[in-house]
């Protein structure tokens, strides 16, 4: 039970392939030991494999464009998902239309892959509004910043769905750093107690900003925590999209069947900095990042698909063109995006503006009018 | 008052099957103060249930439930045990509507028994109202009478925004004959509990009883005719009613159990001095707990404002 993040991930690396229908992950036994990596059948058609690749490739393009827009000043800050596409896209690919997703600021590409409009999605980072999309339209909660807090929202929604006998599943992401928060434990424990149909996906990317995994926990795996709250845990190579999909799909099906929550730990790596305001050279080596670049989840998947004859050049050109169109749209709508009317800040505090908010709104209105006249 | 709160929960659950009640010990036991007594037996364990001891979990899951169309009414067992949930309350409960540009309101109620005077330990005697009232997006309600306990709790459960419902636990045993359902002015309106001319005493929650007691004694002891205003909704506050009363009497004091420094009374005093300055014959005074951690049971009566301390302050208002 002395498996380090890096060793385990490397060990279960490309070996998950070549069989497209087989993926490998470790089940965490009730007593807390990591089980052996057994191949689990994953049934995906060629069309689905292409869809999965398309979403990963588009995600990478969106991520790169968002970084560039940040460097150009159009976004105030951005938390990149570069290197974590398999963990995020593979997870949301396992959801059905009516299911709910509870992402954090790290899951922009997973949220994009879930179908949220990319311009609406990036409102948080462009500063036009804290959440630019309608959660009910996409069945996606706002990108959450306070760590692990959204995991409890997912559990609550799943509990409500169970009370109403709706066969839906809530999936929430959090990170290896957030796993240290009390809310993460409370969420796992309460989900277990109520058998809530929720799937926890921990993206273990090795770092909480600058603090490495070994300083977050002495445990060899975050998935082991599942045993402590009496629910199943799975540890999976988070850079292998088939393995991620297979593990999360298993968890989603289990939840939908009424068999309760699962914790899935996807071991991956944040190839970019924590945010565009971060400097990785202060806490990690280039060598380490290079090792992980060799396990690039998008390239790996593409290699397997090419080898299996699932994709051809025409398809790849199509995906690339779609990526460029998406990036162009991001540039069009995020550059010089209007700030909106500052008076709106009073409109959504409560269902109706209070007398005090009316007074304050009038004050701001006066200031704005005076500024216009100058 | 405990019975009125229990009836309000029961009637709300009967009228609206999206109302669910949960928290620590609220199921089989009926809550440590028995406010949820009998609800699980009548409504079933899907609608009234016990939770693990996890206050952030209770508040956080309520957000998800409200997001999915239920109306959760959750209990924090004691004031001093509500703090683990503050991150959920401040970071999410208060902000979800604004964050989502008005698309997602969270109809939910967090009930918190608060205040001292029951001979309990420090964490069972605190008055955290200022933490909540300071947070934009929260509606903070505290009833002072059994009738209001019923009416305001029902209104809070039916409200479209999240409500922090502060129950004055030392008044749980306050008796009043009620014919249910009780009607009362809505959330957001203060009530003049006793009309008077000498000075205005502004109170809420547990101090409404104390203020009325002071007003009754004042008639016989000093001939003063005190006006007592019950704030009821601490935020958003009905400042117009407070300003009208203070302007009428020309003298006002605010009374609460919570500490004085940056307390709720400081905001009321500041607003009154801005909006009623021309009508005031004396500065607005605060009658509060002292700026100390909640004292132990044997000396708490020296901490808590009582009718004597209120009447002393009225005397100071009149000496001005």
């Amino acid at each position: 039970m002395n498996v380090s993040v890096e060793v385990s991930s490397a060990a279960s690396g490309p070996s998950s392939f070549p069989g497209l229908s087989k993926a490998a992950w470790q089940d965490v036994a009730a007593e807390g030991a990591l089980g052996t990596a057994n191949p689990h059948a994953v049934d995906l058609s060629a069309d689905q494999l292409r869809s999965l690749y398309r979403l990963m490739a588009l995600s990478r393009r969106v991520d790169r464009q968002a970084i560039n827009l940040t460097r150009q000043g159009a976004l105030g800050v951005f938390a990149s998902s570069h290197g974590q596409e398999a963990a995020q896209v593979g997870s949301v690919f396992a959801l059905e239309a009516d299911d709910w997703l509870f992402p954090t600021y790290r899951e922009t590409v997973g949220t994009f892959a879930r179908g949220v409009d990319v311009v609406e999605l990036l409102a948080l980072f462009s500063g036009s509004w804290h959440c630019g999309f309608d959660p009910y339209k996409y069945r996606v909660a706002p990108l959450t910043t306070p760590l692990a807090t959204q995991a409890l929202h997912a559990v609550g929604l799943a509990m409500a769905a169970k009370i109403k006998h709706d066969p839906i599943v809530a999936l929430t992401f959090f990170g290896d750093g957030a796993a240290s928060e009390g809310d993460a434990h409370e969420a796992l424990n309460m989900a277990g107690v109520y058998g809530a149909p929720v799937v926890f996906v921990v993206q273990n990317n090795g770092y909480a900003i600058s603090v490495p995994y070994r300083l977050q926990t002495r445990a060899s795996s975050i998935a082991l925590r599942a045993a402590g709250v009496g629910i199943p845990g799975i540890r999976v190579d988070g850079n292998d999209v088939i393995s991620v999909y297979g593990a999360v799909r298993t968890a989603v099906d289990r939840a939908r069947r009424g068999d309760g929550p699962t914790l899935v730990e996807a071991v991956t790596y944040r190839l970019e900095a924590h945010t565009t305001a971060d400097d990785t050279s202060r806490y990690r080596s280039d060598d380490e990042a290079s090792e992980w670049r060799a396990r690039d989840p998008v390239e790996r998947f593409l290699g397997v698909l090419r080898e299996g004859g699932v994709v051809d050049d025409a398809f790849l050109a199509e995906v690339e063109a779609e990526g460029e169109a998406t990036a162009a749209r991001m540039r069009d709508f995020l550059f010089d995006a209007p700030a909106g009317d500052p008076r709106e800040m009073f409109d959504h505090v409560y269902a109706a503006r209070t007398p005090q908010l009316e007074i304050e709104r009038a004050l701001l209105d006066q200031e704005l009018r005076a500024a216009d006249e100058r | 008052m405990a019975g009125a709160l229990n009836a309000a929960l029961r009637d709300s659950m009967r009228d609206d099957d999206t109302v669910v009640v949960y928290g620590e010990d609220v199921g089989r036991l009926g809550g440590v103060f028995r406010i949820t007594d009998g609800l699980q037996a009548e409504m079933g364990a899907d609608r009234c249930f016990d939770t693990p001891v996890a206050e952030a979990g209770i508040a956080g899951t309520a957000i998800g439930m409200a997001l999915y169309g239920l109306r959760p009414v959750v209990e924090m067992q004691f004031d001093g045990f509500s703090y683990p949930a503050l991150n959920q309350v401040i970071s999410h409960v208060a902000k979800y509507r604004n964050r989502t540009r008005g698309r997602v309101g969270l109809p939910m109620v967090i009930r918190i028994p608060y205040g001292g005077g029951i001979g309990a330990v420090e964490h069972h005697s605190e008055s955290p109202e200022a933490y909540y009232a300071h947070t934009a997006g929260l509606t903070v309600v505290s009833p002072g009478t059994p009738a209001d306990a019923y009416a305001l709790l029902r209104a809070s459960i039916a409200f479209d925004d999240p409500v922090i419902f502060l129950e004055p636990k030392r008044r749980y045993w306050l008796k009043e004959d009620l014919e249910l359902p009780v009607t009362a002015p809505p959330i957001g309106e203060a009530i003049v509990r006793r009309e008077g001319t000498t000075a205005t005493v502004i109170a809420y929650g547990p101090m409404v009883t104390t203020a009325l007691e002071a007003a009754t004694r004042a008639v016989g002891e000093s001939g003063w005719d005190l006006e007592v205003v019950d704030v009821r909704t601490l935020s958003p506050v009905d400042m117009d009613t407070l300003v009208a009363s203070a302007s009428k009497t020309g003298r006002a004091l605010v009374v609460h159990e919570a500490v004085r420094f940056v307390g709720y009374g400081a905001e009321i005093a500041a607003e009154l001095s801005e909006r009623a300055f021309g009508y005031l014959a004396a500065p607005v005074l605060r009658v509060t707990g002292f700026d100390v951690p909640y004292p132990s049971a044997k000396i708490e009566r020296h901490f808590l404002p009582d009718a004597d301390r209120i009447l002393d302050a009225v005397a100071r208002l009149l000496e001005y």
Side-chain angles (χ1 to χ4, degrees):
Chain A
M1 218 190 77
N2 207 8
V3 191
S4 81
V5 173
E6 292 80 4
V7 170
S8 164
S9 179
S12 60
S15 63
S16 315
F17 299 97
L20 278 181
S21 63
K22 293 269 173 78
W25 64 80
Q26 293 172 299
D27 293 314
V28 177
E31 63 270 23
L34 289 165
T36 44
N38 293 318
H40 295 61
V42 172
D43 189 18
L44 286 172
S45 67
D47 271 349
Q48 286 174 308
L49 290 168
R50 281 190 289 269
S51 295
L52 199 44
Y53 174 77
R54 171 183 162 268
L55 287 170
M56 286 175 72
L58 292 180
S59 290
R60 174 149 295 183
R61 186 67 188 92
V62 163
D63 195 274
R64 182 152 57 89
Q65 184 61 66
I67 290 171
N68 288 344
L69 283 167
T70 311
R71 291 189 178 131
Q72 292 154 357
L75 302 183
V77 69
F78 178 67
S80 170
S81 297
H82 189 88
Q84 298 180 223
E85 293 87 350
Q88 294 182 30
V89 178
S91 293
V92 303
F93 202 73
L95 294 175
E96 300 294 338
D98 285 345
D99 294 337
W100 271 80
L101 175 66
F102 289 79
T104 79
Y105 58 86
R106 178 70 58 207
E107 280 87 40
T108 46
V109 309
T111 309
F112 163 76
R114 182 67 179 146
V116 175
D117 177 85
V118 69
V119 175
E120 296 175 10
L121 172 60
L122 290 170
L124 173 68
F125 299 112
S126 73
S128 58
W129 205 268
H130 301 311
C131 175
F133 59 87
D134 180 353
Y136 286 122
K137 178 178 171 190
Y138 300 105
R139 297 171 90 81
V140 175
L143 301 177
T144 301
T145 309
L147 298 179
T149 55
Q150 80 291 342
L152 282 163
H153 309 166
V155 175
L157 184 130
M159 288 165 70
K162 193 176 177 190
I163 289 170
K164 293 169 104 173
H165 304 290
D166 289 348
I168 65 145
V169 174
L171 186 150
T172 182
F173 287 107
F174 55 95
D176 48 306
S180 297
E181 294 278 5
D183 280 18
H185 169 70
E186 292 190 23
L188 289 165
N189 187 49
M190 286 182 80
V193 167
Y194 299 110
V198 58
V199 177
F200 302 94
V201 178
V202 174
Q203 290 191 88
N204 181 353
N205 68 13
Y207 287 89
I209 302 188
S210 68
V211 178
Y213 177 84
R214 66 177 183 278
L215 290 178
Q216 290 297 331
T217 175
R218 198 179 162 86
S220 60
S221 159
I222 289 170
L224 286 169
R225 288 180 206 184
V229 296
I231 68 173
I234 299 174
R235 188 163 206 256
V236 65
D237 178 354
N239 280 21
D240 173 358
V241 71
I242 296 295
S243 286
V244 172
Y245 170 79
V248 175
R249 181 82 215 189
T250 300
V252 166
D253 290 349
R254 182 185 283 155
R256 205 185 309 282
R257 277 202 309 272
D259 292 342
T262 304
L263 170 61
V264 178
E265 176 186 13
V267 181
T268 182
Y269 192 79
R270 194 191 73 214
L271 287 173
E272 285 287 334
H274 165 68
T275 67
T276 41
D278 181 31
D279 173 10
T280 57
S281 69
R282 296 175 75 101
Y283 56 84
R284 72 186 196 194
S285 70
D286 276 347
D287 288 352
E288 181 186 282
S290 298
E291 277 178 42
W292 280 92
R293 272 190 198 94
R295 291 176 228 154
D296 185 306
V298 182
E299 292 304 315
R300 269 173 68 184
F301 191 40
L302 178 59
V304 173
L305 294 176
R306 274 186 193 281
E307 202 176 308
V310 179
V311 297
D312 57 21
D313 289 347
F315 170 77
L316 294 175
E318 218 174 275
V319 170
E320 193 178 338
E322 192 182 353
E324 288 313 311
T326 305
R329 191 161 167 276
M330 289 168 70
R331 292 192 297 272
D332 287 349
F333 285 93
L334 291 167
F335 256 123
D336 304 323
D341 186 341
R343 296 169 192 83
E344 194 183 341
M345 75 172 80
F346 301 106
D347 290 351
H348 314 300
V349 187
Y350 298 98
R353 287 200 296 265
T354 64
Q356 181 63 28
L357 289 173
E358 292 290 2
I359 291 168
E360 293 170 12
R361 188 179 186 281
L363 180 69
L364 177 62
D365 183 61
Q366 206 175 13
E367 289 175 7
L368 293 169
R369 282 171 196 279
D372 279 348
E373 279 163 26
R374 277 200 294 273
Chain B
M1 181 180 285
L5 292 164
N6 180 260
L9 290 170
R10 179 175 285 108
D11 289 352
S12 293
M13 293 176 88
R14 282 177 181 164
D15 287 357
D16 181 352
D17 63 10
T18 65
V19 177
V20 293
V21 170
Y22 64 99
E24 296 156 9
D25 302 296
V26 305
R28 289 179 69 179
L29 181 66
V32 293
F33 291 108
R34 307 293 183 266
I35 305 301
T36 56
D37 191 32
L39 296 181
Q40 188 176 66
E42 181 181 339
M43 307 293 171
D46 257 8
R47 302 215 27 222
C48 176
F49 54 90
D50 292 316
T51 63
V53 182
E55 291 79 12
I58 292 168
T61 53
I63 292 168
M65 289 208 180
L67 188 57
Y68 202 69
L70 297 186
R71 286 183 181 265
V73 182
V74 300
E75 177 176 305
M76 297 287 139
Q77 198 159 65
F78 287 99
D79 35 60
F81 294 169
S82 67
Y83 308 136
L86 271 179
N87 187 32
Q88 288 289 346
V89 173
I90 292 171
S91 298
H92 296 304
V93 174
K95 297 180 167 77
Y96 229 91
R97 180 184 290 282
N98 183 66
R99 179 177 303 147
T100 59
R101 218 170 178 172
R103 290 165 176 135
V104 182
L106 295 176
M108 58 183 277
V109 179
I110 299 179
R111 297 177 36 243
I112 309 174
Y114 84 115
I118 63 163
V121 300
E122 57 180 323
H123 308 292
H124 294 5
S125 305
E126 300 184 345
S127 296
E129 64 268 27
Y131 304 139
Y132 299 106
H134 187 64
T135 303
L138 296 178
T139 298
V140 185
V141 170
S142 186
T145 69
D148 243 8
Y150 179 89
L152 285 173
L153 183 52
R154 291 216 61 181
S156 297
I157 295 169
F159 209 58
D160 285 335
D161 278 309
V163 175
I164 305 296
F165 193 85
L166 297 168
E167 300 173 0
K169 71 168 89 75
R170 64 195 286 204
R171 306 300 178 206
Y172 274 154
W173 298 273
L174 202 61
K175 302 280 188 230
E176 189 179 343
D177 284 328
L178 299 177
E179 199 161 317
L180 301 178
V182 178
T183 53
I187 288 171
E189 285 187 22
I191 290 180
V192 177
R193 290 277 173 209
R194 183 188 189 283
E195 292 205 23
T197 54
T198 309
T200 297
V201 179
I202 298 165
Y204 54 85
M207 287 292 106
V208 172
T209 300
T210 310
L212 289 168
E213 182 199 334
T216 304
R217 275 182 45 193
V219 176
E221 293 174 15
S222 327
W224 298 334
D225 182 19
L226 296 179
E227 179 147 307
V228 175
V229 182
D230 181 351
V231 180
R232 301 174 78 238
T233 304
L234 277 60
S235 179
V237 63
D238 175 11
M239 210 57 215
D240 288 348
T241 297
L242 273 52
V243 169
S245 176
S247 302
K248 184 184 87 175
T249 63
R251 292 174 176 82
L253 66 84
V254 196
V255 55
H256 55 63
E257 288 186 18
V259 298
R260 174 187 169 98
F261 190 73
V262 203
Y264 188 75
E267 178 61 30
I268 299 301
E271 280 289 325
L272 288 178
S273 62
E274 270 190 43
R275 292 172 60 176
F277 190 72
Y279 298 92
L280 292 175
V284 180
L285 296 183
R286 284 166 287 164
V287 178
T288 69
F290 299 121
D291 289 313
V292 299
Y294 198 86
S296 51
K298 285 193 165 71
I299 58 170
E300 70 175 331
R301 67 193 170 86
H302 301 291
F303 170 90
L304 292 167
D306 59 7
D308 284 336
R309 201 179 287 167
I310 292 173
L311 293 172
D312 286 349
V314 174
R316 291 208 302 285
L317 282 175
L318 290 167
E319 281 160 15
Y320 226 83

